[in-house]
Amino acid sequence: MSPTSSDPALSADAITGRLRAAGCVFAEEEALLLIESASSPDALRAMVSERVAGVPLEHVVGWAEFCGLRIAIDPGVFVPRRRSELLARRAAELCRPGGTTPRKPPHGLAGQASVVIDLACGSGAIGAAIATLAADVELHAADIDPAAVACARRNLAPVGGQVYAGDLYEPLPGRLRGRVSVIAANVPYVPTEAVTLMPPEARVYEPLVALDGGPDGLDVLRRAAVGAAAWLMPGGHLLIETASGQAEIAAAAFAAAGLAATVARDEELGATVVIGRR
Ligand SMILES: C[S@@+](CC[C@H](N)C(=O)[O-])C[C@H]1O[C@@H](n2cnc3c(N)ncnc32)[C@H](O)[C@@H]1O
């Protein structure tokens, strides 16, 4: 906040105390972030009240950090998680067949951009990261939730991404069939019964459609795997984040859909990604 306030309730110490009492673990850091982000003392007061009431910090300040990028987050849109950086980074590596080392593209595609789909894109954080990490990407993204689509359009416009509204692959332009290098998907994967056990920040402030993956959490993943082969080019990859304990069943679903599956894990991030190659 540029204009300093004489209100002692708006000092960093006072805000830290209120946030700590409300159960915020990183109260000190959050207080500084709120002070920095607020445009006026009134705005700061409102932001502190929202945070104390349990609104996720990213919804209060309007952005989240992901792979070093600042991603705009609208109210009601899923907040990208740090663990999904594994998915984004692996996807970026696979944009060029052969990984991060540039190599001669197959099928006379020299000079053509890799077509990437951020499926179930939410804010578009994963697509934005891929387009930033991998050179020469033609990015398309889709989500079923209109709020997510609007948010992703804002985040992906600077990298030239196109965003579509609808169920999984249904809204994508037909000309992409058989031409896609990478489909990166963080679809909902919480088992229905476990949604009520999630922290209120997710359960209350993120839409159910972003969380609930059906009885075993893998309903949307199975549909995404079945649909992938029609869109991937030969040698193209589908990457989907799962919970650690879901990876084996998810990999079997990939194999049943005709994809050769491997599992990538990052213990530090607590991340698991199933990777299938067509
Ligand atoms: C866990 S959130 C992930 C969002 C984003 N990929 C990220 O990592 O920040 C899941 C997203 O899937 C979307 N979604 C759920 N079912 C879908 C479907 N059938 N088709 C397209 N998107 C869907 C939700 O709207 C939500 O934005």
Side-chain angles (χ1 to χ4, degrees):
M1 184 176 62
S2 32
T4 46
S5 164
S6 53
D7 183 348
L10 295 184
S11 71
D13 282 351
I15 293 173
T16 300
R18 281 189 70 193
L19 295 177
R20 191 165 289 135
C24 298
V25 179
F26 302 105
E28 214 162 292
E29 290 86 341
E30 290 199 12
L32 294 178
L33 198 58
L34 292 174
I35 290 168
E36 252 176 60
S37 309
S39 54
S40 67
D42 281 347
L44 180 57
R45 254 178 230 107
M47 289 167 91
V48 173
S49 299
E50 279 188 310
R51 186 64 189 124
V52 164
V55 179
L57 180 68
E58 294 82 356
H59 287 147
V60 175
V61 297
W63 58 272
E65 191 186 321
F66 188 77
C67 286
L69 302 173
R70 187 178 275 216
I71 304 293
I73 306 294
D74 293 337
V77 174
F78 183 86
V79 176
R81 309 297 203 259
R82 176 87 207 290
R83 62 175 169 269
S84 302
E85 293 190 1
L86 176 66
L87 171 62
R89 291 187 193 283
R90 287 300 175 99
E93 288 168 11
L94 291 167
C95 281
R96 290 266 162 232
T100 43
T101 8
R103 77 173 185 92
K104 204 169 153 225
H107 316 305
L109 294 176
Q112 285 192 11
S114 305
V115 177
V116 172
I117 297 174
D118 179 356
L119 195 68
C121 63
S123 64
I126 290 170
I130 296 170
T132 306
L133 292 167
D136 216 4
V137 159
E138 178 188 327
L139 178 65
H140 300 265
D143 201 285
I144 203 165
D145 178 357
V149 170
C151 186
R153 284 198 173 125
R154 272 207 292 152
N155 284 315
L156 297 183
V159 293
Q162 295 295 312
V163 187
Y164 314 91
D167 181 31
L168 291 180
Y169 303 97
E170 176 270 324
L172 296 170
R175 66 181 172 79
L176 299 182
R177 283 180 183 271
R179 287 189 48 221
V180 178
S181 293
V182 167
I183 302 169
N186 182 20
V187 297
Y189 58 82
V190 181
T192 303
E193 281 193 352
V195 171
T196 51
L197 307 175
M198 295 184 81
E201 287 196 356
R203 199 168 24 84
V204 178
Y205 295 99
E206 292 180 323
L208 190 60
V209 71
L211 307 172
D212 187 350
D216 70 350
L218 296 174
D219 277 5
V220 190
L221 176 142
R222 284 190 191 89
R223 292 177 52 226
V226 166
W231 297 89
L232 290 174
M233 63 194 285
H237 290 86
L238 170 69
L239 301 92
I240 306 189
E241 180 177 307
T242 67
S244 167
Q246 294 172 328
E248 209 175 307
I249 300 173
F254 275 43
L259 305 170
T262 54
V263 177
R265 295 181 194 272
D266 184 316
E267 299 300 333
E268 205 183 312
L269 290 176
T272 305
V273 176
V274 181
I275 303 174
R277 185 172 190 276
R278 184 186 156 201

